[in-house]
Amino acid sequence: MPREHEVERTAGQRNRPPWEWIAAAVSVTALLVSLGAWLLPDSGGWICDKTEDRFVRCNDVPGEFVGTWTGEETCVGTFLARCVHPKHSLTLKIRRAKLGQQFVESVSELDGKLLCRSSWTLTEVGDGDREVFLRKHHTIDEGESATGEPITCSDGLTATVALTGPDAIRVDTKGTAITDTGLHFNAELSRT
């Protein structure tokens, strides 16, 4: 007669140790979580920051763009609009993202003082993965001019970022048809 904690075995059956049930439950759970992350439309944002791999549902940014880039940005004005700061430093932090996600933070500084910090959205990846196209999402922070006047950072900008070498990119920024005052910004940046 079996003891209370023992289960009677029938012909051909065996008792499974508890660790086999735990291992099976963990495996099924991991499979369901992975499948859900792949199937849900906006599920992969968290994974894009944490890996260099390109996942089908969350990553459209070519790996050559990912990283921190710095250099000098030049403003080109017109007779309608003049540049307040014709040359200043620019830093871009580019991360993994999918189309429509914010993936770039830009910081413009002059003599170590903040001019503008902005967030940008990925709108398109060019043929051959050599260019990405951005739209300014919003201004995070605005600084002051050399005279102490508050700076108003431009909204409604678009930018093209192109690979020009293994550790070099070119950034061309301009206004959209509605916001274009004639000011254009160009920068040659290096990976830091």
Side-chain angles (χ1 to χ4, degrees), residues 39-63:
L39 291 176
L40 294 174
D42 196 22
S43 62
W46 62 272
I47 211 166
C48 295
D49 286 336
K50 300 183 178 26
T51 182
E52 289 298 313
D53 295 328
R54 290 180 78 174
F55 287 85
V56 174
R57 301 290 285 178
C58 78
N59 191 13
D60 295 317
V61 179

PDB file of all heavy atoms in Angstrom, residues 39-63:
ATOM      1  N   LEU A  39       5.303  39.258 -32.216  1.00  0.00           N
ATOM      2  CA  LEU A  39       4.009  39.488 -32.849  1.00  0.00           C
ATOM      3  C   LEU A  39       3.374  40.832 -32.522  1.00  0.00           C
ATOM      4  O   LEU A  39       2.685  41.402 -33.347  1.00  0.00           O
ATOM      5  CB  LEU A  39       3.028  38.373 -32.452  1.00  0.00           C
ATOM      6  CG  LEU A  39       3.330  36.999 -33.034  1.00  0.00           C
ATOM      7  CD1 LEU A  39       2.348  35.979 -32.480  1.00  0.00           C
ATOM      8  CD2 LEU A  39       3.269  37.015 -34.539  1.00  0.00           C
ATOM      9  N   LEU A  40       3.597  41.354 -31.324  1.00  0.00           N
ATOM     10  CA  LEU A  40       2.962  42.611 -30.949  1.00  0.00           C
ATOM     11  C   LEU A  40       3.552  43.758 -31.749  1.00  0.00           C
ATOM     12  O   LEU A  40       4.749  43.837 -31.952  1.00  0.00           O
ATOM     13  CB  LEU A  40       3.136  42.862 -29.449  1.00  0.00           C
ATOM     14  CG  LEU A  40       2.411  41.863 -28.547  1.00  0.00           C
ATOM     15  CD1 LEU A  40       2.766  42.117 -27.101  1.00  0.00           C
ATOM     16  CD2 LEU A  40       0.907  41.951 -28.739  1.00  0.00           C
ATOM     17  N   PRO A  41       2.735  44.709 -32.218  1.00  0.00           N
ATOM     18  CA  PRO A  41       3.203  45.746 -33.131  1.00  0.00           C
ATOM     19  C   PRO A  41       4.242  46.687 -32.548  1.00  0.00           C
ATOM     20  O   PRO A  41       5.115  47.140 -33.247  1.00  0.00           O
ATOM     21  CB  PRO A  41       1.929  46.503 -33.510  1.00  0.00           C
ATOM     22  CG  PRO A  41       0.936  46.149 -32.482  1.00  0.00           C
ATOM     23  CD  PRO A  41       1.308  44.811 -31.943  1.00  0.00           C
ATOM     24  N   ASP A  42       4.186  47.027 -31.270  1.00  0.00           N
ATOM     25  CA  ASP A  42       5.140  47.975 -30.706  1.00  0.00           C
ATOM     26  C   ASP A  42       5.864  47.351 -29.522  1.00  0.00           C
ATOM     27  O   ASP A  42       6.089  47.985 -28.511  1.00  0.00           O
ATOM     28  CB  ASP A  42       4.412  49.244 -30.272  1.00  0.00           C
ATOM     29  CG  ASP A  42       5.379  50.394 -30.058  1.00  0.00           C
ATOM     30  OD1 ASP A  42       6.479  50.332 -30.617  1.00  0.00           O
ATOM     31  OD2 ASP A  42       5.031  51.325 -29.326  1.00  0.00           O
ATOM     32  N   SER A  43       6.247  46.117 -29.668  1.00  0.00           N
ATOM     33  CA  SER A  43       6.795  45.389 -28.530  1.00  0.00           C
ATOM     34  C   SER A  43       8.295  45.500 -28.394  1.00  0.00           C
ATOM     35  O   SER A  43       8.834  45.221 -27.352  1.00  0.00           O
ATOM     36  CB  SER A  43       6.439  43.908 -28.660  1.00  0.00           C
ATOM     37  OG  SER A  43       7.031  43.404 -29.850  1.00  0.00           O
ATOM     38  N   GLY A  44       8.994  45.893 -29.439  1.00  0.00           N
ATOM     39  CA  GLY A  44      10.437  45.750 -29.412  1.00  0.00           C
ATOM     40  C   GLY A  44      11.236  46.952 -29.015  1.00  0.00           C
ATOM     41  O   GLY A  44      12.441  46.912 -29.052  1.00  0.00           O
ATOM     42  N   GLY A  45      10.611  48.064 -28.637  1.00  0.00           N
ATOM     43  CA  GLY A  45      11.375  49.257 -28.317  1.00  0.00           C
ATOM     44  C   GLY A  45      12.434  49.040 -27.257  1.00  0.00           C
ATOM     45  O   GLY A  45      13.534  49.545 -27.348  1.00  0.00           O
ATOM     46  N   TRP A  46      12.139  48.285 -26.245  1.00  0.00           N
ATOM     47  CA  TRP A  46      13.093  48.072 -25.159  1.00  0.00           C
ATOM     48  C   TRP A  46      14.295  47.272 -25.610  1.00  0.00           C
ATOM     49  O   TRP A  46      15.383  47.438 -25.100  1.00  0.00           O
ATOM     50  CB  TRP A  46      12.415  47.383 -23.984  1.00  0.00           C
ATOM     51  CG  TRP A  46      11.890  46.018 -24.317  1.00  0.00           C
ATOM     52  CD1 TRP A  46      10.672  45.715 -24.828  1.00  0.00           C
ATOM     53  CD2 TRP A  46      12.575  44.772 -24.203  1.00  0.00           C
ATOM     54  NE1 TRP A  46      10.544  44.367 -25.037  1.00  0.00           N
ATOM     55  CE2 TRP A  46      11.696  43.764 -24.651  1.00  0.00           C
ATOM     56  CE3 TRP A  46      13.834  44.410 -23.753  1.00  0.00           C
ATOM     57  CZ2 TRP A  46      12.056  42.436 -24.663  1.00  0.00           C
ATOM     58  CZ3 TRP A  46      14.183  43.081 -23.769  1.00  0.00           C
ATOM     59  CH2 TRP A  46      13.302  42.103 -24.218  1.00  0.00           C
ATOM     60  N   ILE A  47      14.138  46.395 -26.573  1.00  0.00           N
ATOM     61  CA  ILE A  47      15.239  45.538 -26.984  1.00  0.00           C
ATOM     62  C   ILE A  47      16.227  46.278 -27.885  1.00  0.00           C
ATOM     63  O   ILE A  47      17.391  45.949 -27.945  1.00  0.00           O
ATOM     64  CB  ILE A  47      14.708  44.267 -27.661  1.00  0.00           C
ATOM     65  CG1 ILE A  47      15.645  43.110 -27.399  1.00  0.00           C
ATOM     66  CG2 ILE A  47      14.505  44.438 -29.140  1.00  0.00           C
ATOM     67  CD1 ILE A  47      15.047  41.785 -27.735  1.00  0.00           C
ATOM     68  N   CYS A  48      15.768  47.324 -28.551  1.00  0.00           N
ATOM     69  CA  CYS A  48      16.628  48.046 -29.489  1.00  0.00           C
ATOM     70  C   CYS A  48      17.788  48.733 -28.797  1.00  0.00           C
ATOM     71  O   CYS A  48      18.849  48.888 -29.381  1.00  0.00           O
ATOM     72  CB  CYS A  48      15.809  49.069 -30.272  1.00  0.00           C
ATOM     73  SG  CYS A  48      14.576  48.302 -31.337  1.00  0.00           S
ATOM     74  N   ASP A  49      17.613  49.174 -27.567  1.00  0.00           N
ATOM     75  CA  ASP A  49      18.684  49.842 -26.839  1.00  0.00           C
ATOM     76  C   ASP A  49      19.715  48.866 -26.292  1.00  0.00           C
ATOM     77  O   ASP A  49      20.808  49.261 -25.918  1.00  0.00           O
ATOM     78  CB  ASP A  49      18.119  50.613 -25.639  1.00  0.00           C
ATOM     79  CG  ASP A  49      17.414  51.866 -26.067  1.00  0.00           C
ATOM     80  OD1 ASP A  49      17.731  52.384 -27.152  1.00  0.00           O
ATOM     81  OD2 ASP A  49      16.543  52.325 -25.316  1.00  0.00           O
ATOM     82  N   LYS A  50      19.384  47.609 -26.229  1.00  0.00           N
ATOM     83  CA  LYS A  50      20.210  46.673 -25.488  1.00  0.00           C
ATOM     84  C   LYS A  50      20.971  45.663 -26.342  1.00  0.00           C
ATOM     85  O   LYS A  50      21.568  44.759 -25.828  1.00  0.00           O
ATOM     86  CB  LYS A  50      19.324  45.934 -24.493  1.00  0.00           C
ATOM     87  CG  LYS A  50      18.676  46.908 -23.515  1.00  0.00           C
ATOM     88  CD  LYS A  50      17.858  46.229 -22.489  1.00  0.00           C
ATOM     89  CE  LYS A  50      17.259  47.155 -21.490  1.00  0.00           C
ATOM     90  NZ  LYS A  50      17.012  48.506 -21.843  1.00  0.00           N
ATOM     91  N   THR A  51      20.936  45.826 -27.648  1.00  0.00           N
ATOM     92  CA  THR A  51      21.590  44.840 -28.494  1.00  0.00           C
ATOM     93  C   THR A  51      22.105  45.471 -29.770  1.00  0.00           C
ATOM     94  O   THR A  51      21.618  46.492 -30.205  1.00  0.00           O
ATOM     95  CB  THR A  51      20.622  43.687 -28.838  1.00  0.00           C
ATOM     96  OG1 THR A  51      21.326  42.742 -29.626  1.00  0.00           O
ATOM     97  CG2 THR A  51      19.415  44.170 -29.601  1.00  0.00           C
ATOM     98  N   GLU A  52      23.086  44.858 -30.366  1.00  0.00           N
ATOM     99  CA  GLU A  52      23.595  45.287 -31.661  1.00  0.00           C
ATOM    100  C   GLU A  52      22.900  44.532 -32.804  1.00  0.00           C
ATOM    101  O   GLU A  52      23.103  44.838 -33.954  1.00  0.00           O
ATOM    102  CB  GLU A  52      25.111  45.034 -31.747  1.00  0.00           C
ATOM    103  CG  GLU A  52      25.913  45.973 -30.857  1.00  0.00           C
ATOM    104  CD  GLU A  52      25.750  47.435 -31.254  1.00  0.00           C
ATOM    105  OE1 GLU A  52      25.843  47.747 -32.453  1.00  0.00           O
ATOM    106  OE2 GLU A  52      25.519  48.265 -30.372  1.00  0.00           O
ATOM    107  N   ASP A  53      22.096  43.528 -32.472  1.00  0.00           N
ATOM    108  CA  ASP A  53      21.423  42.744 -33.501  1.00  0.00           C
ATOM    109  C   ASP A  53      20.257  43.520 -34.093  1.00  0.00           C
ATOM    110  O   ASP A  53      19.684  44.384 -33.456  1.00  0.00           O
ATOM    111  CB  ASP A  53      20.899  41.426 -32.907  1.00  0.00           C
ATOM    112  CG  ASP A  53      22.030  40.538 -32.443  1.00  0.00           C
ATOM    113  OD1 ASP A  53      23.103  40.590 -33.062  1.00  0.00           O
ATOM    114  OD2 ASP A  53      21.840  39.811 -31.453  1.00  0.00           O
ATOM    115  N   ARG A  54      19.899  43.188 -35.332  1.00  0.00           N
ATOM    116  CA  ARG A  54      18.749  43.810 -35.988  1.00  0.00           C
ATOM    117  C   ARG A  54      17.570  42.860 -35.902  1.00  0.00           C
ATOM    118  O   ARG A  54      17.544  41.834 -36.534  1.00  0.00           O
ATOM    119  CB  ARG A  54      19.079  44.131 -37.442  1.00  0.00           C
ATOM    120  CG  ARG A  54      20.080  45.246 -37.551  1.00  0.00           C
ATOM    121  CD  ARG A  54      20.380  45.552 -38.958  1.00  0.00           C
ATOM    122  NE  ARG A  54      19.295  46.356 -39.513  1.00  0.00           N
ATOM    123  CZ  ARG A  54      19.337  46.881 -40.711  1.00  0.00           C
ATOM    124  NH1 ARG A  54      20.379  46.716 -41.469  1.00  0.00           N
ATOM    125  NH2 ARG A  54      18.339  47.595 -41.170  1.00  0.00           N
ATOM    126  N   PHE A  55      16.580  43.191 -35.086  1.00  0.00           N
ATOM    127  CA  PHE A  55      15.399  42.363 -34.933  1.00  0.00           C
ATOM    128  C   PHE A  55      14.347  42.800 -35.954  1.00  0.00           C
ATOM    129  O   PHE A  55      14.187  43.975 -36.231  1.00  0.00           O
ATOM    130  CB  PHE A  55      14.840  42.489 -33.508  1.00  0.00           C
ATOM    131  CG  PHE A  55      15.682  41.776 -32.500  1.00  0.00           C
ATOM    132  CD1 PHE A  55      16.777  42.391 -31.934  1.00  0.00           C
ATOM    133  CD2 PHE A  55      15.391  40.473 -32.148  1.00  0.00           C
ATOM    134  CE1 PHE A  55      17.564  41.738 -31.020  1.00  0.00           C
ATOM    135  CE2 PHE A  55      16.180  39.805 -31.233  1.00  0.00           C
ATOM    136  CZ  PHE A  55      17.262  40.443 -30.663  1.00  0.00           C
ATOM    137  N   VAL A  56      13.610  41.837 -36.464  1.00  0.00           N
ATOM    138  CA  VAL A  56      12.637  42.080 -37.528  1.00  0.00           C
ATOM    139  C   VAL A  56      11.632  43.153 -37.144  1.00  0.00           C
ATOM    140  O   VAL A  56      11.329  44.038 -37.918  1.00  0.00           O
ATOM    141  CB  VAL A  56      11.910  40.764 -37.877  1.00  0.00           C
ATOM    142  CG1 VAL A  56      10.797  41.018 -38.862  1.00  0.00           C
ATOM    143  CG2 VAL A  56      12.890  39.752 -38.415  1.00  0.00           C
ATOM    144  N   ARG A  57      11.098  43.108 -35.949  1.00  0.00           N
ATOM    145  CA  ARG A  57       9.994  43.990 -35.567  1.00  0.00           C
ATOM    146  C   ARG A  57      10.435  45.284 -34.904  1.00  0.00           C
ATOM    147  O   ARG A  57       9.612  46.116 -34.609  1.00  0.00           O
ATOM    148  CB  ARG A  57       9.051  43.250 -34.611  1.00  0.00           C
ATOM    149  CG  ARG A  57       8.454  41.995 -35.189  1.00  0.00           C
ATOM    150  CD  ARG A  57       7.480  42.289 -36.259  1.00  0.00           C
ATOM    151  NE  ARG A  57       6.254  42.771 -35.649  1.00  0.00           N
ATOM    152  CZ  ARG A  57       5.212  43.145 -36.325  1.00  0.00           C
ATOM    153  NH1 ARG A  57       5.216  43.095 -37.622  1.00  0.00           N
ATOM    154  NH2 ARG A  57       4.146  43.574 -35.717  1.00  0.00           N
ATOM    155  N   CYS A  58      11.721  45.470 -34.599  1.00  0.00           N
ATOM    156  CA  CYS A  58      12.047  46.661 -33.827  1.00  0.00           C
ATOM    157  C   CYS A  58      13.245  47.436 -34.330  1.00  0.00           C
ATOM    158  O   CYS A  58      13.554  48.474 -33.767  1.00  0.00           O
ATOM    159  CB  CYS A  58      12.280  46.304 -32.367  1.00  0.00           C
ATOM    160  SG  CYS A  58      13.880  45.571 -32.021  1.00  0.00           S
ATOM    161  N   ASN A  59      13.912  47.011 -35.364  1.00  0.00           N
ATOM    162  CA  ASN A  59      15.145  47.709 -35.659  1.00  0.00           C
ATOM    163  C   ASN A  59      15.367  47.942 -37.133  1.00  0.00           C
ATOM    164  O   ASN A  59      15.594  47.030 -37.883  1.00  0.00           O
ATOM    165  CB  ASN A  59      16.319  46.929 -35.085  1.00  0.00           C
ATOM    166  CG  ASN A  59      17.555  47.761 -35.135  1.00  0.00           C
ATOM    167  OD1 ASN A  59      17.483  48.952 -35.363  1.00  0.00           O
ATOM    168  ND2 ASN A  59      18.675  47.149 -34.947  1.00  0.00           N
ATOM    169  N   ASP A  60      15.339  49.204 -37.497  1.00  0.00           N
ATOM    170  CA  ASP A  60      15.573  49.578 -38.885  1.00  0.00           C
ATOM    171  C   ASP A  60      16.865  50.367 -39.066  1.00  0.00           C
ATOM    172  O   ASP A  60      17.220  50.682 -40.189  1.00  0.00           O
ATOM    173  CB  ASP A  60      14.392  50.407 -39.400  1.00  0.00           C
ATOM    174  CG  ASP A  60      13.104  49.601 -39.459  1.00  0.00           C
ATOM    175  OD1 ASP A  60      13.164  48.449 -39.897  1.00  0.00           O
ATOM    176  OD2 ASP A  60      12.062  50.123 -39.045  1.00  0.00           O
ATOM    177  N   VAL A  61      17.540  50.723 -37.991  1.00  0.00           N
ATOM    178  CA  VAL A  61      18.746  51.544 -38.080  1.00  0.00           C
ATOM    179  C   VAL A  61      19.960  50.660 -38.375  1.00  0.00           C
ATOM    180  O   VAL A  61      20.273  49.764 -37.600  1.00  0.00           O
ATOM    181  CB  VAL A  61      18.993  52.326 -36.768  1.00  0.00           C
ATOM    182  CG1 VAL A  61      20.261  53.157 -36.862  1.00  0.00           C
ATOM    183  CG2 VAL A  61      17.799  53.193 -36.445  1.00  0.00           C
ATOM    184  N   PRO A  62      20.653  50.899 -39.485  1.00  0.00           N
ATOM    185  CA  PRO A  62      21.863  50.119 -39.765  1.00  0.00           C
ATOM    186  C   PRO A  62      22.906  50.314 -38.658  1.00  0.00           C
ATOM    187  O   PRO A  62      23.075  51.425 -38.137  1.00  0.00           O
ATOM    188  CB  PRO A  62      22.356  50.700 -41.094  1.00  0.00           C
ATOM    189  CG  PRO A  62      21.129  51.295 -41.728  1.00  0.00           C
ATOM    190  CD  PRO A  62      20.313  51.804 -40.581  1.00  0.00           C
ATOM    191  N   GLY A  63      23.590  49.261 -38.300  1.00  0.00           N
ATOM    192  CA  GLY A  63      24.556  49.276 -37.199  1.00  0.00           C
ATOM    193  C   GLY A  63      25.665  50.296 -37.350  1.00  0.00           C
ATOM    194  O   GLY A  63      26.203  50.778 -36.359  1.00  0.00           O
TER     195      GLY A  63
END
